[in-house]
Amino acid sequence: MSQNKEKHFTLGMTPVERRGLFSLIGIYALRMLGLFLILPVFSLYAHDLEGATPSLIGLALGAYGITQAILQIPFGLLSDRIGRKPVITGGLILFAIGSAVAAMATTITGVIIGRALQGSGAIAAAIMALVADLTREEQRTKAMAMIGLSIGVAFAFALGVGPVLNRWIGVPGLFWMTAILAILAIGVLNFGVPKVTAPRHHSDVEPAPKQFLRILKDGQIMRLALGIFMLHVLLTATFVVLPISLRDESGLASASHGYVYLPILILSILTMVPFIILAEKKRRMKEVFVGAVITLGIAELIWVFFHTSLALTIVALWLFFSAFNLLEATLPSLVSKRSPAGSKGTAMGVYSTCQFLGAFIGGWSGGTVYGQFSFTGAFIFGAIVVLLWLYFAFTMIPPKHLRSHILSVGNLNPNEADALAKRLSEIAGVDDAVVVPDEGVAYLKIDDEHLDQAALDSIHPVIS
């Protein structure tokens, strides 16, 4: 093979990689779409269900989070043992059953059970592992970024389209639609995703039980995990009360809510781009991070004092989503920078668990506070959450600007792996290096400004 062809093969995805990645993006996005579609409309619908109280409505909205948090890591580890596709198929079946239960429910308890069943289809870790199985090391970062982008697109689409679809088919229809999409996703998984003959553990995307204690003791990583927990407490608690406030306090008909959410989300994405550039390129990550948390607090305070004003409510929505999207994009980057080499999968597993716990706690607590103290109390609760978060944000140590690299090293025995890790860690610009013989790769944390690329290439020429 010529040098040019070899370079093209390294930099671009193969047809098999593209087929597998885009099929899995579709499955992941459809599942997230099913969870998010009811977010802007559920609290408006749920008041008519038998036994509904504000606390139980919030619990129903966030119930998927508790089962997702409990099961996502075990399901990911199970997929190492029995294969990715059986675990993902089983998760999609559980998700479809939960959607059907929620669609047929006439009581709030029935919807809570359905939402919990939806969350029990915890396939995120197994999908990420299958993506890693299907992509070469040098393509994996790109593949994971595309998965993350698909989640953001699904979220924006759900908030904009959910109220419109609700006018046509109602919330039960939305649940039925997500059940059908889950069944279609099973077909895509089993007929569209290439077969993996020998799934392997990938420390860059999968948690490893022996690393959990190390991650849980890392105060900086746990600050970031607490951050995503609080962000999703705010999101779910806000959407317990905001749709009702928009309709009853600000005077916006529920059928028009989608026409507000979608343009604001698009504008908020455009707003956050310069700040991401400032954080990453200008190395102002902590300042941007703290500023985004403060912006969330400003949005909550506007809602506290001016939730009867439609114009100011919309301004607060723009601030909220600009900060939310910025934090949703930067928090995983911070975790990646802070996690030790070879431990990113474990750190992200803890992070994701906290994210789903936040959705559960946010729904339940937001509904409870709203039931006791109405709209003002619910938004004050959000402001208090932000105030607590600010303490941890201000005292965060600014991260080193490191990025992860994966080096394919082939078959090595433990002694050879230790020797290679020592050589790699001695190269200028390599902050940390771990060689995992079972995976045939070395995980590196690299500072590009100080990296001795020639020295790294002299050890091994193929890096991601």
Side-chain angles (χ1 to χ4, degrees), residues 296-430:
L296 287 174
I298 293 171
E300 294 288 346
L301 289 175
I302 291 174
W303 285 326
V304 169
F305 296 107
F306 303 107
H307 57 265
T308 57
S309 167
L310 179 59
L312 289 175
T313 294
I314 290 174
V315 169
L317 261 176
W318 167 64
L319 292 172
F320 183 90
F321 280 125
S322 297
F324 176 86
N325 289 327
L326 180 58
L327 290 163
E328 192 81 2
T330 55
L331 275 166
S333 176
L334 284 166
V335 173
S336 178
K337 287 177 171 62
R338 188 64 185 81
S339 58
S343 300
K344 180 182 173 183
T346 306
M348 289 304 299
V350 172
Y351 171 90
S352 297
T353 298
C354 291
Q355 174 182 333
F356 293 119
L357 280 174
F360 170 71
I361 296 297
W364 172 75
S365 59
T368 300
V369 173
Y370 168 60
Q372 293 294 319
F373 304 105
S374 192
F375 299 105
T376 301
F379 294 130
I380 289 175
F381 168 75
I384 292 171
V385 170
V386 173
L387 187 63
L388 291 172
W389 188 2
L390 274 175
Y391 168 77
F392 295 99
F394 272 119
T395 55
M396 178 180 74
I397 298 173
K400 294 180 180 179
H401 284 264
L402 305 175
R403 61 188 180 92
S404 300
H405 275 282
I406 306 172
L407 200 63
S408 181
V409 299
N411 295 323
L412 299 174
N413 63 45
N415 290 333
E416 291 172 329
D418 290 342
L420 179 57
K422 185 174 184 295
R423 289 178 63 198
L424 288 167
S425 63
E426 291 171 350
I427 296 173
V430 175

Side-chain angles (χ1 to χ4, degrees), residues 19-20 23-24 26-28 83-93 123 126-127 130-131 134 181-196:
R19 175 186 161 199
S23 296
L24 290 169
I27 293 168
Y28 201 101
R84 317 296 188 202
K85 287 188 177 182
V87 170
I88 298 171
T89 299
L92 288 169
I93 290 171
I123 58 174
I127 286 181
L130 184 51
V131 171
L134 292 169
L181 290 175
I183 293 169
L184 292 175
I186 294 173
V188 173
L189 172 70
N190 289 284
F191 297 103
V193 177
K195 184 178 180 181
V196 176

Side-chain angles (χ1 to χ4, degrees), residues 264-277:
I264 286 175
L265 275 164
I266 294 171
L267 180 61
S268 70
I269 291 169
L270 296 175
T271 302
M272 80 173 185
V273 171
F275 293 99
I276 289 180
I277 295 172

